[in-house]
Amino acid sequence: QAGSIASKIPGPSQEHDRPESNQCSLHHFQVSFHQLGWDHWIIAPNLYTPNYCKGACPRVLHYGLNSPNHAIIQNLVNELVNQSVPRPSCVPYKYVPISILMVEANGSILYKEYEDMIAQACTCR
Amino acid sequence: TVGERSTGPLAEAPTLPLIQELLKEAPDKQQRKPQVLERPMRYMLELYQRSADAHGHPRENRTIGATMVRLVRPLANVAKPLKGPRHIQTLDFPLRPNQVAYQLVRATVIYHHQLQLAGFQLSCHVEPWVQKSPTNCSPSLGRGSSKPSLLSEAWTEMDVTQHVQKRLRNHKRHRILRLCFMCQHQKGSAGQELLWHGTSSLDTTFLLLYFNDTHKSVQKAKLLPGGLEEFMERDSSLLLRRAR
C-alpha cells in the first residue's frame, strides 16, 4: 500500500517549489497592554511581543523543522488509515519567559516572571 | 504593530469574544492608576529595570534570586503625637496565603533610615514587634532582629524571613506581620513635640516577599524545605515517579 501511495506523493523537488514564505515559520506579532485595556494594572513592559507560528507543513518533515520522528507517522496514518487523524501543524517549539510588573487589587506591587510567554521558534507536530 | 490593520484599544471592541473573556480576569478598571512617583513604585521600577530589559526579557545576570517579588504596604495607621525625641509606631503588614506551588525564600523590610519632618532630621529603624504590651512597641534592644544593611543613601534593608515564615506557619487566617517603626531626633532635642501624621511611614516602609516557583524546583529534583509539605502530599506519587 505504501508503495502505491508513494507514487502519488509530490517528490522533493515539487515540495521545494512551494514558496518558502508559505512554509512553517515564526511571525512577528506585537501588542501593547494599552490596546488590551490592561495598562491600569500592568506597569511594565509597555509592549508584549508573543509572536506566532504560521505556514504549511510538508509531508516529509525535514531536519530544520525540529519535528519529532513520530510526526511523519501522523501523515501516513492520515493518508493510509483515517483522514480525520490530524496531520502535523505549524506550532511553537521553543519559548522564552517574560517579566511583568503589575499592581494588585489590594495595592501590592508584584514583579513576576511568566514562563513560556514568547514563541521563539516553530515546528511541525 | 498588529498585522496589516491598525487597532485601537482592543478592550473597547465588543465583538472580540476572547478579549472580553480575558478582560474578566483583569482587576477592576476603576482601580486607580498607580502613581509612578510614589516611592514604593519607584523602588519596584528600579528592581524591574535591574532584572529585565525593555522588552520584558529576564536578564541573564539578574541577582533578584526569585521568580516573584511582592511589595506589601502597611495597613493604614493612626498617628499619635508624641513629645520628646522619640517616635514609635506599629506597622501591620497583611500576609496573604501562599499561592500553590510558590515557596517563600526571603522576606525583607525596606525603610528610610533618615527622614525629614517639619524641619527636623530624624534617624529611623525598624524592629520586629515583641509582645510585651498589646498596643505599644518597646525598643527591643536589638534582640530578635537581624542587623540592617544600607542599600543606598535612601534605603535600608532588614531581613525578616524567619518572622514571616513563623507567621505563615502558625496562623492560617488573618496573618499579619507587625513591626515597630522607631525614629528619633538626631540632635536628641528633648521636650519638642513632634506631630507625626503617620503617612510618612506608610510611604517609606514596605515589606518585600521573594517567592520561587516550586514546580520548577521539583522538576530539577532539588531538596525542598519542610514548608512545602502541603504541596508534596498532594502530588507525592508524581514526585516519587520523577525522583526515580
Side-chain angles (χ1 to χ4, degrees):
Chain A
Q1 281 180 332
S4 63
I5 294 292
S7 61
K8 298 176 189 174
I9 294 175
S13 59
Q14 288 173 327
E15 286 226 314
H16 286 163
D17 288 344
R18 185 176 301 165
E20 286 189 0
S21 60
N22 288 344
Q23 291 197 7
C24 175
S25 60
L26 186 71
H27 292 253
H28 178 80
F29 174 68
Q30 190 176 68
V31 66
S32 74
F33 289 110
H34 172 67
Q35 285 177 297
L36 292 173
W38 289 357
D39 56 335
H40 66 284
W41 65 289
I42 294 185
I43 311 304
N46 292 327
L47 299 172
Y48 175 37
T49 311
N51 303 322
Y52 63 91
C53 293
K54 178 175 172 277
C57 290
R59 285 193 180 85
V60 177
L61 302 164
H62 54 81
Y63 175 75
L65 282 170
N66 299 305
S67 300
N69 291 332
H70 182 274
I72 195 171
I73 302 298
Q74 294 281 140
N75 276 326
L76 286 173
V77 172
N78 170 268
E79 293 213 10
L80 299 176
V81 180
N82 186 345
Q83 285 185 354
S84 68
V85 170
R87 294 180 53 198
S89 53
C90 185
V91 293
Y93 162 70
K94 190 177 173 188
Y95 302 94
V96 291
I98 190 172
S99 294
I100 300 280
L101 187 68
M102 67 183 92
V103 178
E104 298 185 297
N106 61 3
S108 297
I109 307 171
L110 188 68
Y111 166 92
K112 190 169 178 180
E113 293 174 9
Y114 287 92
E115 292 292 330
D116 305 336
M117 287 289 285
I118 298 171
Q120 209 176 43
C122 303
T123 184
C124 288
R125 69 193 304 166
Chain B
T1 57
V2 183
E4 292 83 18
R5 60 178 182 173
S6 63
T7 60
L10 297 173
E12 296 163 9
T15 57
L16 300 175
L18 176 59
I19 296 297
Q20 295 304 312
E21 286 297 317
L22 289 172
L23 281 174
K24 290 176 189 173
E25 300 293 325
D28 185 5
K29 200 161 186 185
Q30 300 307 316
Q31 179 174 302
R32 180 178 69 94
K33 198 162 181 179
Q35 299 298 317
V36 179
L37 294 179
E38 290 177 344
R39 288 183 187 133
M41 179 58 73
R42 274 192 280 155
Y43 186 93
M44 288 300 280
L45 274 170
E46 287 170 9
L47 182 148
Y48 182 86
Q49 285 161 0
R50 287 197 306 271
S51 307
D53 63 21
H55 302 287
H57 301 147
R59 296 185 192 275
E60 288 289 333
N61 58 353
R62 64 193 185 282
T63 57
I64 195 173
T67 56
M68 184 167 79
V69 181
R70 175 174 282 122
L71 182 148
V72 181
R73 300 174 199 243
L75 298 171
N77 225 318
V78 178
K80 295 177 186 175
L82 288 177
K83 273 191 176 179
R86 186 179 288 133
H87 164 79
I88 300 175
Q89 188 178 20
T90 54
L91 297 175
D92 289 342
F93 295 89
L95 301 175
R96 284 168 42 181
N98 280 355
Q99 289 177 278
V100 173
Y102 274 96
Q103 174 200 356
L104 180 75
V105 294
R106 189 168 172 243
T108 62
V109 59
I110 310 288
Y111 60 94
H112 274 291
H113 57 272
Q114 287 186 343
L115 288 176
Q116 275 211 342
L117 186 68
F120 295 104
Q121 191 81 7
L122 302 172
S123 175
C124 303
H125 71 282
V126 171
E127 288 187 5
W129 177 77
V130 178
Q131 192 170 0
K132 286 183 180 175
S133 74
T135 53
N136 296 329
C137 280
S138 302
S140 65
L141 302 177
R143 282 192 295 256
S145 61
S146 60
K147 191 177 175 183
S149 58
L150 200 66
L151 289 180
S152 65
E153 285 185 7
W155 300 107
T156 299
E157 176 187 61
M158 189 177 79
D159 190 292
V160 292
T161 307
Q162 288 185 350
H163 299 281
V164 171
Q165 285 177 334
K166 192 177 173 183
R167 300 301 297 177
L168 291 175
R169 274 197 302 268
N170 297 344
H171 298 81
K172 297 299 177 189
R173 297 174 62 185
H174 306 299
R175 296 175 174 119
I176 296 283
L177 176 72
R178 176 163 284 179
L179 298 173
C180 296
F181 182 68
M182 291 178 271
C183 297
Q184 66 181 28
H185 294 199
Q186 283 190 332
K187 299 289 183 184
S189 49
Q192 287 184 335
E193 183 167 322
L194 187 66
L195 187 62
W196 184 278
H197 292 282
T199 55
S200 300
S201 59
L202 296 181
D203 193 35
T204 59
T205 308
F206 45 84
L207 184 65
L208 286 183
L209 303 174
Y210 295 78
F211 297 91
N212 265 342
D213 184 349
T214 55
H215 179 66
K216 283 174 65 177
S217 299
V218 166
Q219 287 179 332
K220 291 176 182 176
K222 285 182 182 174
L223 291 175
L224 303 173
L228 291 172
E229 287 163 359
E230 183 184 0
F231 175 69
M232 291 180 71
E233 283 167 6
R234 196 175 300 166
D235 293 313
S236 57
S237 59
L238 177 62
L239 289 173
L240 282 175
R241 285 201 295 274
R242 284 180 173 173
R244 281 199 293 270

